[in-house]
Amino acid sequence: MELKSYQQEVLNDLDAFMEQVEADGNLKVAYRNFWLKKGLDVNDLQSEVLHPYDNTVTGVPRVMLKVPTAGGKTFIACNALKTIFDRQPAALPRVVTWFVPSDSILTQTYNNLNNPQHPYRQRLDKIGRA
C-alpha cells in the first residue's frame, strides 16, 4: 500500500511543522510561524479555521490531521510516526496515543494494527525496522 499524493502532502506539512518546532524551540511559536508561512495568522480573532496552539499537556506535542472520510487517516497516521520519530531525540521515549471517534472504529483499528497481514501493521513494522 503506497501513499497517495494528497496523503504525502499531509506528511510533508507535518515534517515542515516538526522542522519549525526544531527551529523555534517552542510549540506555540512554531505552530504560529508554520501557519504564517502559509499566509494564515492563528492569532487573528476573525479566523474561523485556525486557533492558537492548545498546549494542554505542557511540552508534549499534539498533532491532529484533518482528512476527509475515506481519505486514509489511519494509513497517514501510521506513516506519520516515522516523520515524528525521525525528528525526535533518540533518548526520549516513543509513545503514541491513538484517538478514534467510536468503539467500532477502535475495534477495527486495533484489529488492523495487530494483524501482521494488514497493510497498516506492515507499514508500522517497516517503520520500526528503519
Side-chain angles (χ1 to χ4, degrees), residues 1-4 6-7 70-76 78-79 112 117-124 126:
M1 190 170 187
E2 294 303 317
L3 290 163
K4 296 179 177 153
Y6 70 88
Q7 293 169 326
K73 289 180 281 296
T74 304
F75 191 59
I76 292 171
C78 289
N79 285 277
N112 290 341
Q117 304 307 312
H118 196 278
Y120 298 162
R121 175 57 184 267
Q122 291 173 348
R123 183 56 59 127
L124 290 175
K126 182 178 179 182

Side-chain angles (χ1 to χ4, degrees), residues 46 52 74 98 114:
Q46 296 180 10
T74 304
W98 208 292
N114 279 293

Side-chain angles (χ1 to χ4, degrees), residues 6-53:
Y6 70 88
Q7 293 169 326
Q8 185 60 57
E9 187 175 333
V10 170
L11 293 171
N12 292 346
D13 278 345
L14 173 61
D15 190 56
F17 173 66
M18 299 294 293
E19 185 176 323
Q20 193 69 52
V21 170
E22 289 174 355
D24 294 333
N26 179 293
L27 290 168
K28 284 185 177 186
V29 172
Y31 181 79
R32 182 170 190 270
N33 288 338
F34 171 82
W35 285 109
L36 279 173
K37 286 181 179 179
K38 292 185 168 284
L40 299 168
D41 187 350
V42 296
N43 291 332
D44 179 1
L45 296 178
Q46 296 180 10
S47 173
E48 295 179 19
V49 178
L50 293 172
H51 305 282
Y53 185 79

